[in-house]
Amino acid sequence: MSALTESAPPTTTHPLRAEVGIADPPPIPFGRIVRMELRKSFDTRAGFWLLASIGIAAVLATVATIVWAPDDVLGFESFATAIGVPMAVLLPIVAILSVTSEWSQRTGLSTFTLVPRRSRTIAAKATGALLVGVVSMVVAMGIGALGTVLGASLRGVDVVWDTSTAGLARIVLAQVLGMAVGFMLGVLLRSSPGAIVGYFVFSFVLPTLAMALAAFQDWFKDLQPWVDFNYAQTKLFDDALSGTEWTQLGVTGLFWLVVPTALGLWALLRAEIR
Amino acid sequence: MITIESLTKTYGRFTAVDDVTFTAAPGRVTGFLGPNGAGKSTTMRIMTGLTPATSGEALVCGRRFRDLPNPGLQVGVLLDASAQHAGRTGREVLAVAAGTMGLPASRVDELLDLVGLTAAESERRVRHYSLGMRQRLGIAAALLGRPEVLILDEPANGLDPAGIRWMRDLLRGYADQGATVLLSSHLLHEIEVVADDLVVIGHGRIVAQGTKSELLAAAGTVVRATDPVALETALRASGLSFTGGGAGPRAAGGTTSADLAGSFTVDADAREVGRVALGASLHLTELRAADGAGLEDMFLELTAQTQREQTQREQTQREQTPRDTVTTSPEGAAA
């Protein structure tokens, strides 16, 4: 030790830094981290096709609605519902992979050395996923609207706009909550297959089990709206939510979404990146 | 400048890094040497904020890594060249890193050029890269921001001899510009060519550190003359301490006496030994610095211990699964 310090030349200037002319670089702006996280969602074949598949699925769902839906339900709501189904599967996967690929592909090693405050990267990922979700939904609704007009003219029926703005907003909220669940599972499990399987269990297996339980057990039937997050979310697709239903959504969301996200973040910020 | 102060990392009852203290100085290449599993990578991950330390402190550019405002511009890091998204192209990996640091896209081309990746190679996905190409890509990513500190974990792995030579020259030139270069290796000979300072770690503890010349010079000078008896007399008369000559320690070393006939290892530098020989008008056939035998022996000892543990583990596995086909020999693990 002593030998090393003694023999080290007293270099205090760093020509390399002087060369670029920066004394202490300014911090990385948050917007730039968001931009890079968005870029990382698109710049692999898997990522690109996952996002492209949202558009493709929206087109397919629209075509299917035009071809198969009976004349009397060929309104915008039918299109929005048909498009919403594949999106409810694909958007959460976008959210999951934005987090878990850092572990599954081990890119976290460079991501978190370039931005060592992990909370900034995670916040940027959440923002990026939200942007992808919102843009996808706008595009999907555009496709749905086109389908509504096209379907009506092909079938020779009146164009029907049977969805209110508030109704659309609630559908968007439901999709965003789905993405938030995906993001939560990604943060909590930090594994792509784990989080994706977890999402399907949570969103497609649990509701069936809960439904069965509610059908056979009266005590659960009364309790369900207060403990079942999926059940509380289904109300978003109904006409309007009562104050109680909003409260139930908030309470179940707190337990199923906010608390696990907080736990996942707490662990993620302290975890060892290998 | 990298300052590591009493750094300790424990996993349960296992201590991976045990009270490690050292400094890597600007303008110098510091070799971080130790057998596999000695704690090099863990120490480097703590330095770069990827692993929390149990106690102690690691400062880079005088700050904790996580407190650096834009680390890529101050510290170039390459911890594992294979840790890249297999589906991303090499160019895109650099573009994302440069974008995060706020550097222009032209910097990516400069670096691809510097590390010798062609335009066609840069458009290929990392999945199709050889380990050597991944190392070059990783070094390019580390150098993007013209950092004043470089932290590289086993950067020579997977490089061919020409690549190793290229990297050595690159790091040397970089340190000569005033940068702090810390690189790890489990191969003494790989690192002694390029390093100015050495930090040797084994079982999580530092076992030796200092300048390379100090650590290697400790072994003295090897001298041989046509007339060994006269040489021995002259050395004895000079008052320098020495070993060798007769049939003594060489036999223990297992070498034939013909090889070392008349060879002495003297506790002095070559200049001093040469003067003694000249004074006695001796015809020398060999005069050179000893091969840092002290450091090498110590290093071999460390490596051998690790290997014994590995062999034991393998044996245990073999006992547990009698039909197991473990073929790794200790010699194979050594290479």
Side-chain angles (χ1 to χ4, degrees), chain A residues 15 17 39 43 117 272, chain B residues 11 45 66 92 148 177:
Chain A
R17 292 222 57 75
R39 179 169 183 161
D43 69 359
R117 303 235 171 216
E272 185 172 12
Chain B
Y11 295 95
R45 281 206 312 275
R66 53 170 288 131
E92 181 63 18
E148 66 202 85
Q177 287 177 71

Side-chain angles (χ1 to χ4, degrees), chain B residues 223-228 230-231 277-278 280-286:
Chain B
V223 60
R224 187 172 5 195
T226 47
D227 183 352
L231 180 57
L278 180 66
S281 303
L282 288 166
H283 179 184
L284 291 186
T285 54
E286 189 173 10

Side-chain angles (χ1 to χ4, degrees), chain A residues 194-273:
Chain A
I196 290 173
V197 169
Y199 179 75
F200 283 112
V201 169
F202 183 83
S203 301
F204 300 103
V205 179
L206 272 188
T208 319
L209 291 177
M211 206 165 69
L213 191 62
F216 298 119
Q217 300 287 327
D218 284 341
W219 61 269
F220 185 73
K221 196 172 164 53
D222 301 329
L223 193 63
Q224 192 181 18
W226 293 100
V227 296
D228 188 341
F229 189 35
N230 288 304
Y231 181 82
Q233 282 184 73
T234 56
K235 302 292 172 194
L236 289 170
F237 298 96
D238 293 349
D239 283 341
L241 273 77
S242 67
T244 314
E245 284 169 338
W246 280 115
T247 313
Q248 286 165 345
L249 187 65
V251 169
T252 52
L254 183 72
F255 281 108
W256 288 98
L257 187 60
V258 179
V259 170
T261 304
L263 283 176
L265 286 175
W266 183 85
L268 187 150
L269 296 184
R270 282 155 189 79
E272 185 172 12
I273 315 265

Side-chain angles (χ1 to χ4, degrees), chain A:
Chain A
M1 176 67 226
S2 60
L4 197 147
T5 4
E6 275 164 26
S7 54
T11 321
T12 46
T13 53
H14 303 301
L16 291 157
R17 292 222 57 75
E19 208 179 329
V20 268
I22 311 169
D24 201 8
I28 305 172
F30 184 67
R32 198 198 284 162
I33 307 176
V34 174
R35 229 170 47 236
M36 286 304 135
E37 288 303 329
L38 273 175
R39 179 169 183 161
K40 279 156 65 180
S41 294
F42 286 89
D43 69 359
T44 62
R45 239 174 241 166
F48 174 80
W49 283 108
L50 179 61
L51 290 168
S53 67
I54 294 173
I56 295 167
V59 172
L60 289 180
T62 303
V63 171
T65 307
I66 294 175
V67 175
W68 287 305
D71 285 356
D72 56 333
V73 295
L74 206 66
F76 182 67
E77 194 181 344
S78 298
F79 285 94
T81 308
I83 292 170
V85 173
M87 291 205 17
V89 175
L90 294 170
L91 287 179
I93 294 180
V94 172
I96 287 171
L97 292 181
S98 75
V99 180
T100 56
S101 67
E102 300 286 1
W103 278 268
S104 298
Q105 295 283 341
R106 298 187 61 223
T107 46
L109 241 58
S110 50
T111 302
F112 295 118
T113 45
L114 288 175
V115 185
R117 303 235 171 216
R118 297 179 200 172
S119 52
R120 300 191 81 204
T121 302
I122 298 300
K125 284 179 185 298
T127 311
L130 191 66
L131 283 174
V132 168
V134 169
V135 170
S136 307
M137 281 184 263
V138 168
V139 170
M141 279 177 190
I143 294 172
L146 271 176
T148 309
V149 175
L150 197 68
S153 67
L154 281 176
R155 297 275 201 88
V157 295
D158 289 338
V159 176
V160 183
W161 302 105
D162 50 0
T163 309
S164 65
T165 318
L168 270 184
R170 283 197 300 274
I171 293 176
V172 170
L173 177 64
Q175 295 282 4
V176 169
L177 284 176
M179 290 186 85
V181 169
F183 199 81
M184 174 270 284
L185 287 166
V187 166
L188 198 62
L189 300 176
R190 284 177 256 143
S191 146
S192 302
I196 290 173
V197 169
Y199 179 75
F200 283 112
V201 169
F202 183 83
S203 301
F204 300 103
V205 179
L206 272 188
T208 319
L209 291 177
M211 206 165 69
L213 191 62
F216 298 119
Q217 300 287 327
D218 284 341
W219 61 269
F220 185 73
K221 196 172 164 53
D222 301 329
L223 193 63
Q224 192 181 18
W226 293 100
V227 296
D228 188 341
F229 189 35
N230 288 304
Y231 181 82
Q233 282 184 73
T234 56
K235 302 292 172 194
L236 289 170
F237 298 96
D238 293 349
D239 283 341
L241 273 77
S242 67
T244 314
E245 284 169 338
W246 280 115
T247 313
Q248 286 165 345
L249 187 65
V251 169
T252 52
L254 183 72
F255 281 108
W256 288 98
L257 187 60
V258 179
V259 170
T261 304
L263 283 176
L265 286 175
W266 183 85
L268 187 150
L269 296 184
R270 282 155 189 79
E272 185 172 12
I273 315 265
R274 285 171 170 277

